[in-house]
Amino acid sequence: MKQKNSKLIKILYGLIIGFLVYFILLPVMSVIVYGIKSENSLFFSMKGLERSLGYLKNSLIVSFSVTAIATCTGVMLAFTLNRIKFVGRGLLKLLVLLPFVNPPFVGSISYIMLFGRRGLISNKLLGLSISPYGPWGIVVIQVLGLSSLAYILIASSIKKTDTTLEAAARNLGANENDILRSITIPMMLPEISSTALLVFLASMADFSTPLIIGGNFQTLASDLYIQITGLFDMKSAAVSGLILLIPCIAAFVIQKYHLQKKSYFTEETLSSSIEYEEINAYTKFFLISFTAIFISFIFIKYFFIIVGAFTKQWGYNYTLTFSHVNELIGKQYKPFINSIKLAFITASLGSFLGMLIAYLIRFKKLFLSNFVDFAATLPAAVPGILFGIGYLVAFKYPILGIGKWIFTDIKPWILLGTGSIIYLIMIARFINTGLRSGYALLEHINPDMEKASYNLGAGEIETFFRIMAPLMKDAFFASFIRAFTSGMITLGAIIFLLMPSNKVAVQQIFQVVNGGNIGAGAAISLTLSLLTLFLLGVFYTLFNIVEYMKVIKRNKDRLNIWK
Amino acid sequence: MEIKIRNMVKKFNGVTAINDISLEVIEGEMLALLGSSGCGKTTLLRTIAGLIHQDCGEIYFNNMEVSDWPAQKRNAAMVFQNYALFPHMNVSENIAYGLKIRKTEKKEIEKKVAEVLEKVKLIGFGKRKIQELSGGQKQRVALARSLVIEPDILLFDEPLSNLDEKLRVSMRQEIRRIQKDTNITSVYVTHDQREALSIADRIVVMDSGKICQIGTPEEIYYRPANLFTADFMGHLNVFSCGIIEENGERYYELFGKKIPIENRGKSIKILLRPEEIDISKNGVDALILDIEPFGSVSRYKLKCKNDIIYADFINRRRVGSFKVNDYIKIDFDVSAIHVIEGEL
């Protein structure tokens, strides 16, 4: 039986489609159209193409290396931290997630402090003055950051390992090596490939690391930035953007439509414990040491950020100072407020919208659901900086650029130059987070639950708020936390859309680091990381308090019934 | 292969799963471990497979101690409850897995896989994906995968619990047939008493990590050694009767019948299976409180004097005419009575 949806749902759905088309598809299309079609485009001129293809080669060299190393690291971390029992594991499990709260430059800053021209190790310790700038620096920094991403993705799949299958293989005579090679790893392969593609996307999209420590070695993403801000050459930028978009969309499509369907894991095969009962002592030692070393790198990164924040001028004057921090607290706290405002509002709205879309697609079976799903997840594929350029191009003039000829005198509306545009682009990006959270949740909810509510006489809206919303609350919170964390440290998408009045903290770091002021950069990075951690703590506490109060109230109500 | 287990103990986080169990499995027999969930039967099975290592106790295969042998070495193939088929391999690859591990030649593997597919009636299914199979077919593949490595011991961990009733009956006959054909010593874990009765040569009834009774299906069913076994095997009519001494004669009395006894302990229970009760003109009066039809038989809840008694009558049309609140006369043969000691 086909269910009927009320007008309200249809109108809401229509509005959402409108939003997705206008704020996601249109900007992405603009990048493509602008790259190919603009007046005397460079795309078809050999010179322009050759230039961008050079950067593509650089991008691919970096991204392939990073993907290979970070994915392997992620696999090893996930095995060690989830399948081997050892003392201190809980702490390491937390520490490995630290890179999620640090701004993208923390690695680069520490790297410069240690290996830069006036770096601690290269200059002071070894007396070298060779340049450390180049591809390998980029690879190292990205691996340190993205291994955590790989870890968290693979860990979530390793938790679904069906240990019965390993037991079955053991029972049939396979030794532990055979089992790992023929059962465990092949079973995880779809998830591992999926992770690799997401790491690849993140690496391709990173423009700040090559910019800071790439030296002469620039990638497509960083070239985009240089072309637009440094040389004001939108045409070269458009070509680079287009070439950057192709591998990213390809990776995204493979991940979304091919790999996700292949997953072998099902919900009913959850094992109670996935830890190895017995493990070779050498293997255990190797894996734990590897993990410890990796995490100590993360630690070193933070350690030097802290040191740098309190050092007068790194490389020249190592006296202790509070001037960076003082200046921050005294004058430059505004960007932090902007950051919090931006992250909070966009994470809430994006998560809500994403979950709503997940609900409409999965439960309401409306028209165009494949299209809506594609459009809503598309921003995950498009590098942030490119998405930002899309906004730049699409909303330069009102009404999809047609306004260029019609409203010659009218000021742009919800567009470039207004504060709201950075909010819109961030919401567009975070819909994906909410959507995935929503899908994951709805898989566990039987659609009949909703029908049961209708059957008992509740209306559509009442059902949503009384039945669905309470069920979706935890998933919403998870999505919000993820989006908020990323919102505090995102730069790519908004870098071209920011104005001095709504400058955010990440941008501030980017500017001072680019200007060579390592100490101030370290101070802001440190503050931002701590602030994010603190706020996450606050949100967790608030969420738990609200839950706790509800439990108390429920218990009281229960008592009242008996009175 | 004969299996001996001596004084086995296994605890999980302080909870005792197996509490000092000793047991022998005779060569070629099918032994069922029967008990409710949490009684330790699966743990016992897994220790035989070597997938769990016991805290204390020894295991012997043909008088060779294998207590510390890893699972890989034991050649005791197991059929898992959720089949545990490898989802990234097709049917043939699943079956061939154990042979490949044993570095069997390719030709040989093909031959053996084809043979075993025939044995479990899955000819032509070799290239199928696991996801495309029905529950019963998956179970056959799991069985084939275990059989193909020519194991010394076959272990079944509730293999039929995920199948529907009809399939369960036919699969259990098939497992029985294959086990008898191959004559492989087998241990079969189940919580279903009927399954145990129909499939096993001997049954071990377990409770809280201990063995309650070991015996043939007939012994377990008709002559349970204790109340737990009796209850588990579906004994509904358990009567506590005092001993009456009259004229130097000792007997129990049940519904006016005298049951002479040998000398027994103080606390005694009398068991009478529902199907042992007859309708008889010479019997005692009983009021029908409730009738629960099962198809071929109906279970009657009767009140006889001050006792509640359950009786199963075959549903022929003449019996079907009884109604609730009717009075009937029931009788039983004294030889059908089974007496045990112990408190309920």
Side-chain angles (χ1 to χ4, degrees), chain A residues 131-150:
Chain A
S131 167
Y133 298 98
W136 298 116
I138 306 175
V139 171
V140 169
I141 299 305
Q142 287 190 353
V143 163
L144 283 180
L146 293 177
S147 292
S148 291
L149 175 70

Side-chain angles (χ1 to χ4, degrees), chain B residues 1 15 57 95 135 141 182 241 288 341:
Chain B
M1 181 83 65
V15 180
I95 297 172
V141 177
T182 52
C241 298
I288 301 176
E341 296 170 30

Side-chain angles (χ1 to χ4, degrees), chain A residues 165 170-174 182 278, chain B residues 72 76 78 85 88 97 102:
Chain A
L165 295 179
R170 217 165 278 146
N171 179 256
L172 291 167
S182 62
E278 281 155 37
Chain B
Q72 288 87 349
M78 183 144 151
L85 298 175
H88 58 297
Y97 185 81
R102 285 168 174 71

